[in-house]
Amino acid sequence: MRIFAVLTLMCIFLAPTTAGESCRPMEYDVSEICCPMCDKGSVVKRNCTQDSSTSCTPCERGTYMDMASGLSRCYSCRTCKAEQGLVAERECTREQDSACTVLDGFYCQEPNQESGCTLAQKHTQCNASQMTKLPGTRGTDTVCEDCKTGYYSTPGLKCTEGKSSCGNGKVLQKGSQTKETVCNTAPRRHHYDVILSVMLLLLHG
Ligand SMILES: *[C@@H]1O[C@H](CO)[C@@H](O)[C@H](O)[C@H]1NC(C)=O
Ligand SMILES: *[C@@H]1O[C@H](CO)[C@@H](O)[C@H](O)[C@H]1NC(C)=O
């Protein structure tokens, strides 16, 4: 029993030493040697050896490294593409990726603390039969609302009250939530009445 306890204790104390490949902070492991990391803005050109320290090289234009590391390649800077509704807010430096913001007419669907906006969407255009309740912003989409009954909208901007009838005129096309009632502005009934009266007169005469 006592032997078992001693063995368990030994295992606990030995564990960190047997898994002892890990290096100190700001160092990285190269086949069992710990090399000093390169600062951000640069990457490893040559790993350290028993006799020489790590050799670093600064990131080239269009690339960056935003942390100290033992990596040998810088990351590519992202480009803010206008066709995706994005424009550069902050240019890329050796130590930090670029940040994008949205173009006019777009809102950000995936905001990101570090890189500004990663996904932009075009503002929704409200349908006909709807009105724009709240216009879109850089952070939010347009809010649309259906027109009340008896109101219509063509471009989906605001609802206008529609005519309910054509008075003395004839309804050519009944109004709806997307279009105004179309009336016949030159009523023909009078014309037909005259013809009818003349014919009746002729028949009786
Ligand atoms: C440094 O060593 C690592 C691990 O062996 C290797 O993957 C990397 O390519 C080396 N870096 C350079 C710049 O030679
Ligand atoms: C506009 O109408 C289309 C087709 O009926 C529909 O898919 C879409 O969701 C509508 N847009 C809005 C903002 O309600």
Side-chain angles (χ1 to χ4, degrees):
M1 194 65 194
R2 184 169 291 170
I3 289 168
F4 180 72
V6 169
L7 281 176
T8 312
L9 261 178
M10 275 179 72
C11 283
I12 291 168
F13 279 106
L14 286 175
T17 358
T18 41
E21 286 167 39
S22 65
C23 299
R24 288 176 295 175
M26 301 305 283
E27 285 185 345
Y28 68 101
D29 177 53
V30 180
S31 48
E32 283 159 38
I33 318 176
C34 286
C35 291
M37 287 182 173
C38 291
D39 286 341
K40 60 180 175 180
S42 68
V43 285
V44 179
K45 189 178 173 193
R46 209 169 47 242
N47 285 320
C48 76
T49 62
Q50 300 284 14
D51 329 297
S52 65
S53 185
T54 313
S55 159
C56 303
T57 185
C59 292
E60 286 173 25
R61 210 184 157 79
T63 67
Y64 73 98
M65 180 50 65
D66 56 1
M67 59 188 177
S69 76
L71 298 171
S72 9
R73 289 185 68 172
C74 301
Y75 300 127
S76 291
C77 296
R78 69 190 282 247
T79 46
C80 308
K81 297 198 182 84
E83 60 266 32
Q84 292 172 356
L86 295 169
V87 65
E89 186 178 45
R90 188 186 64 227
E91 295 297 335
C92 190
T93 67
R94 269 198 291 229
E95 297 180 7
Q96 195 179 32
D97 198 1
S98 37
C100 306
T101 186
V102 291
L103 285 170
D104 284 347
F106 288 80
Y107 69 100
C108 187
Q109 207 168 41
E110 277 176 14
N112 184 288
Q113 194 110 50
E114 300 269 300
S115 49
C117 185
T118 51
L119 183 67
Q121 250 344 296
K122 224 183 172 95
H123 285 150
T124 297
Q125 298 284 315
C126 298
N127 282 333
S129 87
Q130 293 183 323
M131 63 171 216
T132 304
K133 194 181 180 193
L134 288 172
T137 66
R138 284 172 177 276
T140 59
D141 195 10
T142 319
V143 179
C144 302
E145 193 173 76
D146 289 339
C147 291
K148 284 185 286 188
T149 331
Y151 285 72
Y152 72 97
S153 79
T154 18
L157 284 180
K158 66 190 220 318
C159 299
T160 311
E161 189 164 15
K163 284 195 283 281
S164 51
S165 73
C166 289
N168 289 328
K170 205 174 156 192
V171 177
L172 281 185
Q173 198 176 57
K174 202 170 176 302
S176 70
Q177 280 182 306
T178 60
K179 52 187 188 290
E180 169 68 301
T181 305
V182 181
C183 300
N184 185 352
T185 43
R188 290 215 180 136
R189 200 188 297 152
H190 180 64
H191 196 60
Y192 288 128
D193 285 353
V194 172
I195 295 171
L196 211 68
S197 309
V198 171
M199 279 171 74
L200 280 171
L201 271 174
L202 286 173
L203 277 172
H204 285 275

